[in-house]
Amino acid sequence: LGGTGPRATPTIVANRVLALGATGILDCLDLATGALIWSRDILEEHGAGLPEWGVAGSPLVRENRVIVCAGGTDGRSLVAHDLATGAFVSGGGSAPAHYGSPLFAVLLGRPQIIIFHAYGVTGHDEQTLAPVWTHPWKRNHPHVCQPVVVGKDRIFVSSGYGTGGELLSLERDPTGSIRASRRWRSLSMKAKFCNVIEKGGFVYGLDDGILACVDLASGRRRWKQGRYGHGQILLVGELLLVMGESGEVALVEPGNGRELARIEVFDMKTWNPPALAGRYLFVRNHREAACYRLPIADG
């Protein structure tokens, strides 16, 4: 349904590009020439199955390690490979992969790698990748939306298909172990594909295709308007840049959802996140790619 081609954005570090394809091939390429430096089949190497909609997590680079969610068992769910050689370094967890990307965060003062996998969301130790805490999630649909860290001990998670969002709170028990608990659950943010954004105590995202704002303190919706389908959003300064599913790009005020400007880019389904570099907006779907030079406001 998403078309042919890669599902995940490549990761660029110094003079190297790390690209993870839909069939599970992790390639390390030279940035200047495109020459292949090393390649690994993460599904075969870690005994993992191919997710229904393909492998879709972007590689995370920490120090000299490339971290991806392979989805294997016996400590091969989240895995790290050496950046220079591609050799396996470490792994942790046994949950199958879904469609999120590994995320680095410091929660309760502990550096962690967070992943939204097929069974829920888990924080792994940054160095060993051993699971530190986990929170279960409804399993009968794809887990796509990236978890968002919203404080030193809190994280917001959301998915579509009628599930909604939860604000999780982490705390240490008397033994020093970390556990996650739900502070609230709300149906006001059902982010199917869209990666939500936190700003000023509010979460912004596409709730079943309609742009919405949810209060992080209570889980209550502040406003909901603008039908953009299952697209993506970026925070640009004080404004939201929305890539609509039908191919339009809109500039929106986060305070009230009012649309300020619009560009009609594609005339077909667009699920891919946009990228902004200065005034250059890069957009793509499974058929086309385009670059727009945006006007800059005075000041």
Side-chain angles (χ1 to χ4, degrees):
L1 292 178
T4 57
R7 305 290 196 259
T9 304
T11 302
I12 300 174
V13 177
N15 63 342
R16 299 197 172 186
V17 178
L18 289 307
L20 182 57
T23 60
I25 305 301
L26 176 63
D27 286 336
C28 179
L29 309 172
D30 182 87
L31 177 61
T33 66
L36 182 65
I37 298 172
W38 54 259
S39 181
R40 289 289 187 275
D41 185 332
I42 66 168
L43 302 185
E44 180 178 357
E45 184 167 347
H46 302 295
L50 180 68
E52 183 178 5
W53 307 110
V55 176
S58 295
L60 171 68
V61 176
R62 294 294 298 170
E63 298 173 344
N64 296 316
R65 298 169 302 145
V66 183
I67 300 171
V68 293
C69 189
T73 58
D74 298 326
R76 295 295 182 99
S77 177
L78 190 69
V79 297
H81 288 255
D82 184 82
L83 178 60
T85 66
F88 172 70
V89 177
S90 61
S94 299
H98 258 211
Y99 311 99
S101 300
L103 166 71
F104 172 76
V106 178
L107 292 166
L108 293 179
R110 182 168 184 172
Q112 303 172 33
I113 309 297
I114 298 167
I115 187 69
F116 198 11
H117 49 67
Y119 296 161
V121 58
T122 296
H124 294 252
D125 181 81
E126 182 194 14
Q127 296 300 323
T128 67
L129 298 190
V132 175
W133 59 268
T134 191
H135 182 74
W137 201 259
K138 191 176 179 180
R139 296 190 186 186
N140 63 351
H141 64 266
H143 300 161
V144 184
C145 177
Q146 282 291 99
V148 177
V149 175
V150 294
K152 63 181 181 180
D153 61 354
R154 297 182 184 181
I155 185 167
F156 177 78
V157 186
S158 178
S159 62
Y161 308 90
T163 301
E166 293 185 11
L167 181 65
L168 306 182
S169 178
L170 303 183
E171 59 183 7
R172 295 186 184 274
D173 64 21
T175 69
S177 298
I178 297 176
R179 65 182 183 89
S181 60
R182 178 200 298 167
R183 293 189 65 86
W184 52 254
R185 178 176 179 266
S186 171
L187 293 176
S188 296
M189 184 59 70
K190 301 176 291 297
K192 186 174 180 179
F193 298 153
C194 175
N195 292 320
V196 301
I197 289 170
E198 183 274 333
K199 178 177 172 57
F202 297 93
V203 171
Y204 301 90
L206 294 171
D207 173 37
D208 269 345
I210 303 176
L211 190 62
C213 171
V214 173
D215 189 333
L216 266 175
S218 63
R220 295 189 181 94
R221 181 185 298 126
R222 183 178 183 184
W223 55 258
K224 181 177 180 179
Q225 65 178 42
R227 294 182 179 274
Y228 298 101
H230 298 298
Q232 295 287 351
I233 61 175
L234 290 178
L235 178 65
V236 182
E238 297 298 316
L239 300 173
L240 300 175
L241 195 68
V242 183
M243 179 80 243
E245 182 178 20
S246 58
E248 75 279 10
V249 175
L251 195 64
V252 177
E253 286 185 337
N256 52 25
R258 183 168 69 96
E259 188 173 301
L260 303 176
R262 174 181 284 242
I263 303 172
E264 302 296 334
V265 178
F266 302 126
D267 60 358
M268 66 192 79
K269 179 175 61 184
T270 302
W271 286 347
N272 307 74
L276 186 69
R279 66 189 300 177
Y280 294 94
L281 176 68
F282 296 86
V283 291
R284 74 178 179 99
N285 57 23
H286 66 289
R287 296 277 302 276
E288 296 182 68
C291 174
Y292 283 80
R293 186 172 62 187
L294 303 182
I296 303 298
D298 293 339

